[in-house]
């Protein structure tokens, strides 16, 4: 019969083994795959990226520290900024990211800005070079904050929480423009590029809506960091 002392020693051995396993995991697993490490916005996208982005929604201080480390320029807004119907908390004005945007200012939450930056750097930049052979010089947007309901409903849109952005296209260094309405269904490099940036966004944002979702999104992509989970 196992004595109390022997049982305690065995339990301590199991705990020690578990701690060693956690230490080894944390030391050797790359940051982008390791949910125990805080996110770095300059890391490649990994299996833990989406989870770590979701943590930024609840940890404002950590989120802003990640933006600072990535050298993203922003101006913090006071809580309650926005409108009387749609006051927004924990939001910022995105002053400089990877690309300029056709609509400014872009007001969004910190976590939304973090996801946008990774999407620009890891998805848009790579797809433009690989598929189109020319870098993006401007993102064409319908904007971010807008105090309005979801189309056809009485529910406030994530735009009303500064937690979403709508993308209508891209301008390339070689002068071409890629337009969601015109080129989404094309069997061409432009169509392939748009599919790639939509699919890549699904690794980062909570909700990604494209022309495949409904006619209300026939001319743009909608990306948000809300509490739903859709990729279409």
């Amino acid at each position: 019969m196992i004595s109390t002392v022997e049982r305690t020693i065995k339990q301590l051995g199991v705990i020690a083994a578990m701690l060693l396993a956690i230490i080894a995991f944390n030391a050797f697993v790359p940051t982008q795959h390791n949910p125990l490490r805080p996110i770095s916005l300059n890391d490649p996208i990994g299996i833990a990226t989406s989870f770590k982005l979701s943590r930024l929604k609840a940890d404002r201080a950590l989120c802003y520290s990640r933006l600072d480390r990535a050298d993203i320029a922003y101006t913090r807004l006071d809580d309650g900024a926005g409108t009387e119907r749609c006051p927004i908390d924990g939001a910022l004005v995105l002053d400089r990211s990877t690309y300029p945007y056709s609509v400014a200012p872009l007001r969004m939450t910190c976590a939304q800005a973090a996801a946008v930056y990774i999407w620009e750097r890891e998805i848009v930049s790579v797809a433009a070079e690989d598929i189109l052979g020319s870098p993006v010089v401007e993102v064409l947007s319908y904007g971010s904050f807008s105090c309005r309901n979801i189309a056809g409903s009485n529910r406030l849109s994530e735009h009303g929480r500064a937690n979403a952005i709508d993308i209508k296209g891209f301008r390339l260094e070689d002068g071409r423009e890629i337009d969601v309405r015109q080129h989404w269904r094309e069997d061409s490099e432009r169509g392939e590029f748009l599919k790639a940036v939509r699919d890549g966004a699904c690794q980062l944002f909570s909700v990604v809506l494209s022309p495949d979702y409904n006619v209300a999104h026939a001319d743009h992509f909608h990306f948000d960091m809300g509490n739903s989970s859709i990729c279409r």
Side-chain angles (χ1 to χ4, degrees):
M1 192 170 180
I2 301 175
S3 68
T4 302
V5 173
E6 290 173 324
R7 186 180 297 111
T8 300
I9 292 172
K10 184 175 290 187
Q11 291 172 341
L12 289 173
V14 171
I15 292 171
M18 291 175 61
L19 288 174
L20 286 173
I22 291 171
I23 291 170
F25 178 87
N26 200 43
F28 296 108
V29 173
T31 303
Q32 67 269 26
H33 302 310
N34 186 345
L36 302 178
R37 292 188 180 182
I39 192 169
S40 168
L41 304 188
N42 288 317
D43 277 339
I45 295 173
I47 59 175
T49 301
S50 178
F51 166 76
K52 292 198 282 188
L53 276 171
S54 69
R55 288 175 55 192
L56 298 185
K57 294 191 286 187
D59 192 336
R60 197 181 300 180
L62 175 62
C63 186
Y64 282 115
S65 74
R66 301 299 102 173
L67 296 190
D68 292 338
R69 289 191 180 193
D71 197 29
I72 299 168
Y74 61 89
T75 301
R76 294 181 67 163
L77 297 173
D78 294 335
D79 285 351
T83 67
E84 184 177 352
R85 177 174 177 255
C86 300
I88 51 178
D89 295 337
L92 55 84
V93 173
L94 186 63
D95 298 319
R96 188 195 68 249
S97 191
T98 308
Y99 303 115
Y101 282 75
S102 61
V103 173
L106 289 176
R107 289 178 287 178
M108 60 182 69
T109 61
C110 182
Q112 178 76 12
V116 165
Y117 173 77
I118 297 175
W119 173 74
E120 293 167 344
R121 193 177 65 84
E122 290 296 315
I123 304 298
V124 175
S125 177
V126 174
E129 293 285 359
D130 290 351
I131 299 172
L132 301 173
S134 179
V136 168
V137 294
E138 184 179 28
V139 180
L140 308 178
S141 171
Y142 285 134
S144 50
F145 173 70
S146 176
C147 186
R148 58 181 170 83
N149 290 340
I150 297 171
S153 81
N154 294 320
R155 290 190 297 130
L156 185 67
S157 167
E158 289 297 325
H159 286 283
R161 300 182 174 92
N163 206 28
I165 189 170
D166 288 342
I167 306 296
K168 67 181 294 290
F170 304 84
R171 183 173 289 113
L172 305 182
E173 188 176 70
D174 63 13
R176 283 179 291 170
E177 283 195 12
I178 313 300
D179 181 83
V180 172
R181 180 184 289 279
Q182 293 183 43
H183 303 131
W184 174 253
R185 303 196 187 281
E186 276 192 2
D187 183 15
S188 65
E189 289 182 344
R190 290 175 296 192
E192 182 184 354
F193 168 76
L194 289 173
K195 300 296 191 304
V197 298
R198 189 278 308 270
D199 292 349
C202 293
Q203 302 177 65
L204 304 169
F205 298 93
S206 303
V207 171
V208 173
L209 305 178
S210 73
D212 284 348
Y213 183 65
N214 61 17
V215 294
H217 295 84
D219 65 347
H220 69 280
F221 300 141
H222 167 97
F223 303 151
D224 78 52
M225 290 294 282
N227 295 320
S228 299
S229 180
I230 305 173
C231 171
R232 188 172 173 191

